[in-house]
């Protein structure tokens, strides 16, 4: 009796085992997920490109092929690249580039500040029209007259001649003669002789 029970138990165990092997249910297999960061692939612009001179900190990007007639719309840093679209007709030193973020997504750079990719042939493009100012500043003539006084013309002073000079008059030499008619030279000579004789007499008395 015990042997029959053991035999039945063994048969049940073998049946369950065989049913497990041939079961149609399939277990789901999970693949191992990567733990590191997957590098992104960035594309390079096709066609000719410009590269800013590395010795320059930056270059300005203008709305047209001139730094005087067009405003500055941005900058490119040193060694930065941008797709080249063409050259300005009659201004071959200026290159049009793709510059996103502005009107038309295009700008102009001075060709001597950038380098062009070797063998690049750029088409000639028409020069864009210069931008018109939003408003032309004008001055109110009434306000101008309030701060700028009108100068009244004044007559120049007339020339007044100086008064005549009073020239001194000199008397004639004959007027120096004495009233007695004695010449002045004879009078001086007489006084000289009188003095000489007086000095001679004083000298003789002293001896």
């Amino acid at each position: 009796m015990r042997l029959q029970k053991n035999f039945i138990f063994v048969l049940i165990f073998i049946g369950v085992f065989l049913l497990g092997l041939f079961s149609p249910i399939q277990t789901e297999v999970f693949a191992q997920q990567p733990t590191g960061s997957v590098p992104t692939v960035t594309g390079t612009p096709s066609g000719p490109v410009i590269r800013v001179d590395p010795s320059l900190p930056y270059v300005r990007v203008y709305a047209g092929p001139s730094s005087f007639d067009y405003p500055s719309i941005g900058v490119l840093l040193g060694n930065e690249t941008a797709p080249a679209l063409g050259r300005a007709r009659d201004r071959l030193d200026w290159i049009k580039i793709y510059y996103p973020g502005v009107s038309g997504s295009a700008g102009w750079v001075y060709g001597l500040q950038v380098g062009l990719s070797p063998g690049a042939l750029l088409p000639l493009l028409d020069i864009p029209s210069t931008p018109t100012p939003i408003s032309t500043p004008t001055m109110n003539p009434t306000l101008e007259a309030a701060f700028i006084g009108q100068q009244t013309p004044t007559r120049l002073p007339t020339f007044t001649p100086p008064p005549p000079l009073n020239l001194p008059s000199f008397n004639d030499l004959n007027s120096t003669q004495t009233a007695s008619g004695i010449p002045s030279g004879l009078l001086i000579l007489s006084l000289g002789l009188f003095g000489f004789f007086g000095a001679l007499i004083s000298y003789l008395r002293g001896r």
Side-chain angles (χ1 to χ4, degrees), residues 45-52 81-84 87 95 114-122:
S46 59
V49 296
I50 59 99
R51 182 181 297 274
V52 180
T81 60
R87 291 183 181 271
I95 301 176
V114 299
L116 190 61
S117 56
L121 297 177
L122 299 179

PDB file of all heavy atoms in Angstrom, residues 45-52 81-84 87 95 114-122:
ATOM      1  N   PRO A  45      28.270  72.498 -41.425  1.00  0.00           N
ATOM      2  CA  PRO A  45      27.600  73.187 -42.525  1.00  0.00           C
ATOM      3  C   PRO A  45      28.231  72.803 -43.855  1.00  0.00           C
ATOM      4  O   PRO A  45      29.449  72.746 -44.005  1.00  0.00           O
ATOM      5  CB  PRO A  45      27.813  74.668 -42.197  1.00  0.00           C
ATOM      6  CG  PRO A  45      29.002  74.688 -41.301  1.00  0.00           C
ATOM      7  CD  PRO A  45      28.969  73.419 -40.536  1.00  0.00           C
ATOM      8  N   SER A  46      27.399  72.547 -44.812  1.00  0.00           N
ATOM      9  CA  SER A  46      27.886  72.188 -46.139  1.00  0.00           C
ATOM     10  C   SER A  46      28.136  73.453 -46.944  1.00  0.00           C
ATOM     11  O   SER A  46      27.470  74.468 -46.757  1.00  0.00           O
ATOM     12  CB  SER A  46      26.852  71.307 -46.853  1.00  0.00           C
ATOM     13  OG  SER A  46      25.620  71.999 -46.967  1.00  0.00           O
ATOM     14  N   GLY A  47      29.076  73.397 -47.869  1.00  0.00           N
ATOM     15  CA  GLY A  47      29.395  74.551 -48.682  1.00  0.00           C
ATOM     16  C   GLY A  47      30.513  75.392 -48.086  1.00  0.00           C
ATOM     17  O   GLY A  47      31.101  75.045 -47.055  1.00  0.00           O
ATOM     18  N   PRO A  48      30.817  76.527 -48.726  1.00  0.00           N
ATOM     19  CA  PRO A  48      31.910  77.383 -48.232  1.00  0.00           C
ATOM     20  C   PRO A  48      31.568  78.031 -46.897  1.00  0.00           C
ATOM     21  O   PRO A  48      30.408  78.376 -46.634  1.00  0.00           O
ATOM     22  CB  PRO A  48      32.053  78.433 -49.336  1.00  0.00           C
ATOM     23  CG  PRO A  48      30.731  78.464 -50.018  1.00  0.00           C
ATOM     24  CD  PRO A  48      30.189  77.064 -49.946  1.00  0.00           C
ATOM     25  N   VAL A  49      32.579  78.168 -46.080  1.00  0.00           N
ATOM     26  CA  VAL A  49      32.416  78.790 -44.764  1.00  0.00           C
ATOM     27  C   VAL A  49      33.514  79.820 -44.574  1.00  0.00           C
ATOM     28  O   VAL A  49      34.566  79.773 -45.227  1.00  0.00           O
ATOM     29  CB  VAL A  49      32.466  77.749 -43.619  1.00  0.00           C
ATOM     30  CG1 VAL A  49      31.312  76.785 -43.724  1.00  0.00           C
ATOM     31  CG2 VAL A  49      33.787  77.009 -43.628  1.00  0.00           C
ATOM     32  N   ILE A  50      33.251  80.762 -43.679  1.00  0.00           N
ATOM     33  CA  ILE A  50      34.265  81.741 -43.272  1.00  0.00           C
ATOM     34  C   ILE A  50      34.661  81.439 -41.845  1.00  0.00           C
ATOM     35  O   ILE A  50      33.873  80.916 -41.061  1.00  0.00           O
ATOM     36  CB  ILE A  50      33.757  83.191 -43.440  1.00  0.00           C
ATOM     37  CG1 ILE A  50      32.476  83.427 -42.596  1.00  0.00           C
ATOM     38  CG2 ILE A  50      33.506  83.527 -44.881  1.00  0.00           C
ATOM     39  CD1 ILE A  50      32.688  84.099 -41.297  1.00  0.00           C
ATOM     40  N   ARG A  51      35.897  81.784 -41.509  1.00  0.00           N
ATOM     41  CA  ARG A  51      36.413  81.601 -40.151  1.00  0.00           C
ATOM     42  C   ARG A  51      37.051  82.911 -39.718  1.00  0.00           C
ATOM     43  O   ARG A  51      37.884  83.470 -40.437  1.00  0.00           O
ATOM     44  CB  ARG A  51      37.418  80.458 -40.092  1.00  0.00           C
ATOM     45  CG  ARG A  51      37.970  80.189 -38.675  1.00  0.00           C
ATOM     46  CD  ARG A  51      38.983  79.056 -38.689  1.00  0.00           C
ATOM     47  NE  ARG A  51      38.376  77.816 -39.109  1.00  0.00           N
ATOM     48  CZ  ARG A  51      37.748  76.972 -38.288  1.00  0.00           C
ATOM     49  NH1 ARG A  51      37.642  77.261 -37.001  1.00  0.00           N
ATOM     50  NH2 ARG A  51      37.220  75.857 -38.758  1.00  0.00           N
ATOM     51  N   VAL A  52      36.659  83.391 -38.553  1.00  0.00           N
ATOM     52  CA  VAL A  52      37.186  84.648 -38.034  1.00  0.00           C
ATOM     53  C   VAL A  52      38.658  84.475 -37.677  1.00  0.00           C
ATOM     54  O   VAL A  52      39.077  83.418 -37.187  1.00  0.00           O
ATOM     55  CB  VAL A  52      36.375  85.106 -36.803  1.00  0.00           C
ATOM     56  CG1 VAL A  52      36.909  86.428 -36.258  1.00  0.00           C
ATOM     57  CG2 VAL A  52      34.909  85.255 -37.168  1.00  0.00           C
ATOM     58  N   THR A  81      33.111  80.118 -36.953  1.00  0.00           N
ATOM     59  CA  THR A  81      32.807  79.875 -38.362  1.00  0.00           C
ATOM     60  C   THR A  81      31.341  80.188 -38.631  1.00  0.00           C
ATOM     61  O   THR A  81      30.505  80.199 -37.727  1.00  0.00           O
ATOM     62  CB  THR A  81      33.095  78.420 -38.744  1.00  0.00           C
ATOM     63  OG1 THR A  81      32.292  77.542 -37.939  1.00  0.00           O
ATOM     64  CG2 THR A  81      34.570  78.097 -38.545  1.00  0.00           C
ATOM     65  N   ALA A  82      31.062  80.449 -39.926  1.00  0.00           N
ATOM     66  CA  ALA A  82      29.700  80.715 -40.375  1.00  0.00           C
ATOM     67  C   ALA A  82      29.625  80.403 -41.861  1.00  0.00           C
ATOM     68  O   ALA A  82      30.614  80.609 -42.597  1.00  0.00           O
ATOM     69  CB  ALA A  82      29.305  82.166 -40.104  1.00  0.00           C
ATOM     70  N   PRO A  83      28.494  79.904 -42.360  1.00  0.00           N
ATOM     71  CA  PRO A  83      28.348  79.626 -43.796  1.00  0.00           C
ATOM     72  C   PRO A  83      28.423  80.908 -44.611  1.00  0.00           C
ATOM     73  O   PRO A  83      27.827  81.927 -44.257  1.00  0.00           O
ATOM     74  CB  PRO A  83      26.971  78.957 -43.895  1.00  0.00           C
ATOM     75  CG  PRO A  83      26.673  78.462 -42.516  1.00  0.00           C
ATOM     76  CD  PRO A  83      27.330  79.403 -41.587  1.00  0.00           C
ATOM     77  N   ALA A  84      29.177  80.865 -45.710  1.00  0.00           N
ATOM     78  CA  ALA A  84      29.321  82.009 -46.608  1.00  0.00           C
ATOM     79  C   ALA A  84      28.305  81.893 -47.732  1.00  0.00           C
ATOM     80  O   ALA A  84      28.137  80.832 -48.338  1.00  0.00           O
ATOM     81  CB  ALA A  84      30.738  82.075 -47.167  1.00  0.00           C
ATOM     82  N   ARG A  87      29.474  87.302 -52.253  1.00  0.00           N
ATOM     83  CA  ARG A  87      30.214  88.564 -52.125  1.00  0.00           C
ATOM     84  C   ARG A  87      29.369  89.705 -52.667  1.00  0.00           C
ATOM     85  O   ARG A  87      28.509  89.505 -53.528  1.00  0.00           O
ATOM     86  CB  ARG A  87      31.545  88.499 -52.892  1.00  0.00           C
ATOM     87  CG  ARG A  87      32.582  87.570 -52.293  1.00  0.00           C
ATOM     88  CD  ARG A  87      33.877  87.646 -53.079  1.00  0.00           C
ATOM     89  NE  ARG A  87      34.886  86.755 -52.567  1.00  0.00           N
ATOM     90  CZ  ARG A  87      35.756  87.068 -51.615  1.00  0.00           C
ATOM     91  NH1 ARG A  87      35.734  88.274 -51.091  1.00  0.00           N
ATOM     92  NH2 ARG A  87      36.657  86.195 -51.200  1.00  0.00           N
ATOM     93  N   ILE A  95      31.653  89.982 -47.438  1.00  0.00           N
ATOM     94  CA  ILE A  95      31.104  88.637 -47.631  1.00  0.00           C
ATOM     95  C   ILE A  95      29.799  88.534 -46.854  1.00  0.00           C
ATOM     96  O   ILE A  95      29.729  88.909 -45.676  1.00  0.00           O
ATOM     97  CB  ILE A  95      32.099  87.551 -47.167  1.00  0.00           C
ATOM     98  CG1 ILE A  95      33.417  87.669 -47.953  1.00  0.00           C
ATOM     99  CG2 ILE A  95      31.499  86.168 -47.338  1.00  0.00           C
ATOM    100  CD1 ILE A  95      34.481  86.701 -47.477  1.00  0.00           C
ATOM    101  N   VAL A 114      38.369  87.888 -41.945  1.00  0.00           N
ATOM    102  CA  VAL A 114      37.983  86.477 -41.897  1.00  0.00           C
ATOM    103  C   VAL A 114      38.732  85.728 -42.989  1.00  0.00           C
ATOM    104  O   VAL A 114      39.293  86.315 -43.912  1.00  0.00           O
ATOM    105  CB  VAL A 114      36.455  86.309 -42.079  1.00  0.00           C
ATOM    106  CG1 VAL A 114      35.705  87.013 -40.961  1.00  0.00           C
ATOM    107  CG2 VAL A 114      36.009  86.844 -43.430  1.00  0.00           C
ATOM    108  N   GLY A 115      38.741  84.409 -42.855  1.00  0.00           N
ATOM    109  CA  GLY A 115      39.337  83.544 -43.861  1.00  0.00           C
ATOM    110  C   GLY A 115      38.262  82.682 -44.512  1.00  0.00           C
ATOM    111  O   GLY A 115      37.357  82.184 -43.836  1.00  0.00           O
ATOM    112  N   LEU A 116      38.372  82.476 -45.823  1.00  0.00           N
ATOM    113  CA  LEU A 116      37.400  81.685 -46.572  1.00  0.00           C
ATOM    114  C   LEU A 116      37.959  80.297 -46.799  1.00  0.00           C
ATOM    115  O   LEU A 116      39.176  80.112 -46.974  1.00  0.00           O
ATOM    116  CB  LEU A 116      37.094  82.382 -47.900  1.00  0.00           C
ATOM    117  CG  LEU A 116      35.931  81.849 -48.721  1.00  0.00           C
ATOM    118  CD1 LEU A 116      34.623  81.967 -47.955  1.00  0.00           C
ATOM    119  CD2 LEU A 116      35.836  82.608 -50.046  1.00  0.00           C
ATOM    120  N   SER A 117      37.073  79.311 -46.788  1.00  0.00           N
ATOM    121  CA  SER A 117      37.510  77.926 -47.004  1.00  0.00           C
ATOM    122  C   SER A 117      38.183  77.793 -48.355  1.00  0.00           C
ATOM    123  O   SER A 117      37.781  78.429 -49.340  1.00  0.00           O
ATOM    124  CB  SER A 117      36.306  76.990 -46.905  1.00  0.00           C
ATOM    125  OG  SER A 117      35.288  77.383 -47.815  1.00  0.00           O
ATOM    126  N   PRO A 118      39.260  76.976 -48.461  1.00  0.00           N
ATOM    127  CA  PRO A 118      40.033  76.878 -49.708  1.00  0.00           C
ATOM    128  C   PRO A 118      39.169  76.405 -50.879  1.00  0.00           C
ATOM    129  O   PRO A 118      38.334  75.506 -50.754  1.00  0.00           O
ATOM    130  CB  PRO A 118      41.122  75.858 -49.365  1.00  0.00           C
ATOM    131  CG  PRO A 118      41.209  75.865 -47.868  1.00  0.00           C
ATOM    132  CD  PRO A 118      39.827  76.147 -47.385  1.00  0.00           C
ATOM    133  N   GLY A 119      39.372  77.044 -52.026  1.00  0.00           N
ATOM    134  CA  GLY A 119      38.674  76.664 -53.245  1.00  0.00           C
ATOM    135  C   GLY A 119      37.234  77.094 -53.323  1.00  0.00           C
ATOM    136  O   GLY A 119      36.510  76.655 -54.222  1.00  0.00           O
ATOM    137  N   ALA A 120      36.795  77.940 -52.414  1.00  0.00           N
ATOM    138  CA  ALA A 120      35.394  78.362 -52.406  1.00  0.00           C
ATOM    139  C   ALA A 120      35.173  79.466 -53.432  1.00  0.00           C
ATOM    140  O   ALA A 120      35.946  80.425 -53.512  1.00  0.00           O
ATOM    141  CB  ALA A 120      35.000  78.851 -51.021  1.00  0.00           C
ATOM    142  N   LEU A 121      34.154  79.323 -54.244  1.00  0.00           N
ATOM    143  CA  LEU A 121      33.752  80.320 -55.229  1.00  0.00           C
ATOM    144  C   LEU A 121      32.392  80.860 -54.831  1.00  0.00           C
ATOM    145  O   LEU A 121      31.402  80.124 -54.810  1.00  0.00           O
ATOM    146  CB  LEU A 121      33.705  79.714 -56.635  1.00  0.00           C
ATOM    147  CG  LEU A 121      35.042  79.197 -57.184  1.00  0.00           C
ATOM    148  CD1 LEU A 121      34.840  78.551 -58.556  1.00  0.00           C
ATOM    149  CD2 LEU A 121      36.063  80.321 -57.272  1.00  0.00           C
ATOM    150  N   LEU A 122      32.350  82.145 -54.487  1.00  0.00           N
ATOM    151  CA  LEU A 122      31.119  82.749 -54.007  1.00  0.00           C
ATOM    152  C   LEU A 122      30.454  83.542 -55.119  1.00  0.00           C
ATOM    153  O   LEU A 122      31.127  84.233 -55.894  1.00  0.00           O
ATOM    154  CB  LEU A 122      31.405  83.669 -52.817  1.00  0.00           C
ATOM    155  CG  LEU A 122      32.032  83.004 -51.585  1.00  0.00           C
ATOM    156  CD1 LEU A 122      32.286  84.050 -50.506  1.00  0.00           C
ATOM    157  CD2 LEU A 122      31.140  81.903 -51.051  1.00  0.00           C
TER     158      LEU A 122
END
